[in-house]
């Protein structure tokens, strides 16, 4: 998404020079969210972008892995030889974290690429017994699809609750029951000792039968190829970009899952592994490349997830919040959580309440202060809770 959108934005903003999009995968550029939904369930063959690259004058160089970059020489290194550039945009995304000891074990799967989804499609079609390792966003989405396909699903999570790395305990707690409601078994505080052909052994001695194991324990920036480049990386091995998405080297930008940027709104550096960031950032990069001076890149992060019959949306960043406001009953089908910092809305999570999310996102952008009392009434539109 980030690479494609950068190329398209360059053309939309009037860039007339040569644009080459290099990708390690042989497939036409595609969108990832459908992989855990329609593509996985066989409702769609693929999710290629509906973009006429030839008409836009964008050259696709597919199936070519870049192994390094030499900024001083303005050159990329690939298996088929060096590729010169005037300006480089790094948009290599993130790669799944592997479960230790699972590499090479038959029946172990990841879900990140089109090839991953195509390998998993027959597993679902045959209604196998599946163990999902990790109750994060991708684990929940895969478990949802697997249950829809009629598979027996057990989800194993090392933390005490689902989404432990993403949401506070009191907010994630109501989501625990979603698994049982869908017919999936959720085992929390459960660590995998090892994966064997046909089973998963937990550290308490429990052996879970598994025709297939799907690992969803997170992702990390795909930046190993930058190790000797001199381009500055952060604590998570992400490319450190500035507020215009420029890296530590001239003529090199970084956008999407592989990079972090300083947020003036939140007063900290953000590493956002979500689709919307890969859609928004390229516009800033393109403007810089064509010589404009865009405003600092400081979006309100946004993402959504479809799981267990619920549409979950999140906007903002709640790490620095000092007050939490509930809208609606979390045991019900639709509810919202608002995070405030010194009275100002900084993040919102909406379950089945898209209007709350749409209004909340605009209020975050505006730095609006809310009345907690008014905001806690789900019958009152969120925008009506704004203080004068």
């Amino acid at each position: 998404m980030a690479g494609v959108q950068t190329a398209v934005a360059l053309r939309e903003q009037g860039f007339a020079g040569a644009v080459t999009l290099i990708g390690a995968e042989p497939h036409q550029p595609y969108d990832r969210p459908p992989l855990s939904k329609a593509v996985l369930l066989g409702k769609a063959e693929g999710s290629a972008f509906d973009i006429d690259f030839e008409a836009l004058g964008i050259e696709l160089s597919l199936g070519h892995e870049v192994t390094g970059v030499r900024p001083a020489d303005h050159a990329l290194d690939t298996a088929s030889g060096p590729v010169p550039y005037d300006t480089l945009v790094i948009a290599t995304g993130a790669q799944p974290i592997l479960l230790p000891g699972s590499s090479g074990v038959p029946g172990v799967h990841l879900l990140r690429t089109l090839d991953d989804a195509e390998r998993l499609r027959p597993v679902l079609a045959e209604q196998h017994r599946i163990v999902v390792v990790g109750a994060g966003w991708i684990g929940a989405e895969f478990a949802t699809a697997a249950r829809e396909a009629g598979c027996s699903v057990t989800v194993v999570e090392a933390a005490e609750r689902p989404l432990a790395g993403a949401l506070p305990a009191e907010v994630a707690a109501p989501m625990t029951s979603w698994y049982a409601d869908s017919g999936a078994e959720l085992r929390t505080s459960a660590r995998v000792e090892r994966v064997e052909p046909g089973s998963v052994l937990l550290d308490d001695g429990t052996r879970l039968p598994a025709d297939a194991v799907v690992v969803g324990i997170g992702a990390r920036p795909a930046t190993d190829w930058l190790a000797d480049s001199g381009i500055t990386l952060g604590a998570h091995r992400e490319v450190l970009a500035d507020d215009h998405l420029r890296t530590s080297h001239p003529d090199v930008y970084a956008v999407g899952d592989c990079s972090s940027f300083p947020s003036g709104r939140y007063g900290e550096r953000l590493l956002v592994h979500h689709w919307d960031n890969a859609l928004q950032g390229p516009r800033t990069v393109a403007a810089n490349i064509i010589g404009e001076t865009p405003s600092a890149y400081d979006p309100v992060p946004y993402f959504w997830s479809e799981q267990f019959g619920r549409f979950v949306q999140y906007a903002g960043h709640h790490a620095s919040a000092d007050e939490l406001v509930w809208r609606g009953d979390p045991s019900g089908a639709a509810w919202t959580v608002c995070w405030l910092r010194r009275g100002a809305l900084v993040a919102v999570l909406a379950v089945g309440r898209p209007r709350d999310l749409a209004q909340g996102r605009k209020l975050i952008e505006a730095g609006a202060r809310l009345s907690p009392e008014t905001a806690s009434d789900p019958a009152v539109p969120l925008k009506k809770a704004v203080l004068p």
Side-chain angles (χ1 to χ4, degrees):
M1 170 61 78
V4 166
Q5 291 300 324
T6 300
V8 171
L10 282 165
R11 291 299 188 229
E12 289 178 345
Q13 296 183 34
F15 182 75
V19 177
T20 302
L21 193 59
I22 303 177
E25 294 183 64
H27 311 291
Q28 284 286 307
Y30 60 87
D31 204 7
R32 293 193 190 279
L35 298 185
S36 61
K37 306 171 183 72
V39 175
L40 189 61
L41 289 168
K43 298 177 180 179
E45 285 303 309
S47 57
F49 291 112
D50 185 17
I51 296 171
D52 190 335
F53 292 101
E54 185 176 357
L56 289 172
I58 297 169
E59 179 185 351
L60 296 182
S61 180
L62 305 177
H64 292 97
E65 184 174 1
V66 177
T67 56
V69 58
R70 290 172 281 122
D73 299 329
H74 278 68
L76 291 169
D77 291 320
T78 74
S80 54
V83 176
Y85 67 83
D86 294 316
T87 303
L88 173 66
V89 180
I90 299 171
T92 45
Q95 58 194 35
I97 296 172
L98 303 178
L99 183 68
S102 66
S103 180
V105 178
V108 176
H109 298 264
L110 300 168
L111 181 52
R112 179 73 182 182
T113 68
L114 179 58
D115 288 340
D116 291 338
E118 290 180 343
R119 281 190 288 266
L120 276 166
R121 196 187 309 190
V123 173
L124 268 62
E126 294 166 18
Q127 298 186 336
H128 280 307
R129 297 170 299 177
I130 299 175
V131 171
V132 180
V133 182
W137 299 113
I138 193 66
E141 290 188 2
F142 178 81
T144 299
R147 285 298 301 141
E148 185 177 334
C151 299
S152 170
V153 179
T154 300
V155 180
V156 176
E157 170 56 53
E160 297 177 352
R161 61 186 187 277
L163 296 167
L167 297 173
E170 65 267 38
V171 177
M175 300 175 177
T176 301
S177 64
W178 297 358
Y179 288 80
D181 292 345
S182 76
E185 180 183 2
L186 173 64
R187 287 175 172 258
T188 56
S189 301
R191 293 187 175 275
V192 174
E193 180 72 25
R194 66 178 178 272
V195 179
E196 301 173 347
S199 67
V200 174
L201 181 65
L202 304 183
D203 64 357
D204 65 357
T206 302
R207 186 177 296 276
L208 303 174
D211 300 307
V213 178
V214 178
V215 178
I217 56 175
R220 60 183 182 84
T223 58
D224 289 349
W225 64 285
L226 294 171
D228 299 319
S229 67
I231 293 172
T232 304
L233 303 181
H236 302 283
R237 306 298 295 168
E238 86 280 15
V239 181
L240 292 183
D242 68 10
D243 59 1
H244 288 81
L245 303 183
R246 296 172 296 215
T247 73
S248 58
H249 276 264
D251 305 321
V252 181
Y253 297 83
V255 64
D257 294 10
C258 67
S259 64
S260 64
F261 57 89
S263 170
R265 176 179 286 108
Y266 293 106
E268 62 181 285
R269 182 168 283 275
L270 299 183
L271 175 59
V272 181
H273 280 194
H274 293 298
W275 185 91
D276 192 64
N277 180 49
L279 177 68
Q280 304 293 342
R283 297 167 188 164
T284 294
V285 172
N288 276 289
I289 291 173
I290 65 173
E292 293 184 359
T293 306
S295 57
Y297 185 64
D298 197 8
V300 173
Y302 166 75
F303 71 89
W304 78 97
S305 177
E306 296 177 68
Q307 49 184 271
F308 308 116
R310 295 165 173 84
F311 187 44
V312 183
Q313 294 173 283
Y314 178 97
H317 182 64
H318 66 265
S320 63
D322 52 34
E323 186 172 2
L324 190 150
V325 178
W326 290 87
R327 285 170 59 80
D329 182 358
S331 66
W335 45 276
T336 297
V337 173
C338 298
W339 284 270
L340 309 180
R341 183 181 64 201
R342 295 191 294 275
L345 184 66
V346 293
V348 59
L349 173 80
V351 177
R353 291 181 64 93
R355 183 172 296 179
D356 278 0
L357 190 287
Q359 293 183 10
R361 193 175 182 181
K362 292 178 180 177
L363 296 176
I364 295 168
E365 289 175 347
R369 297 178 67 253
L370 303 187
S371 160
E373 293 74 24
T374 306
S376 66
D377 186 346
V380 178
L382 196 56
K383 62 184 180 182
K384 297 292 186 183
V386 176
L387 293 170

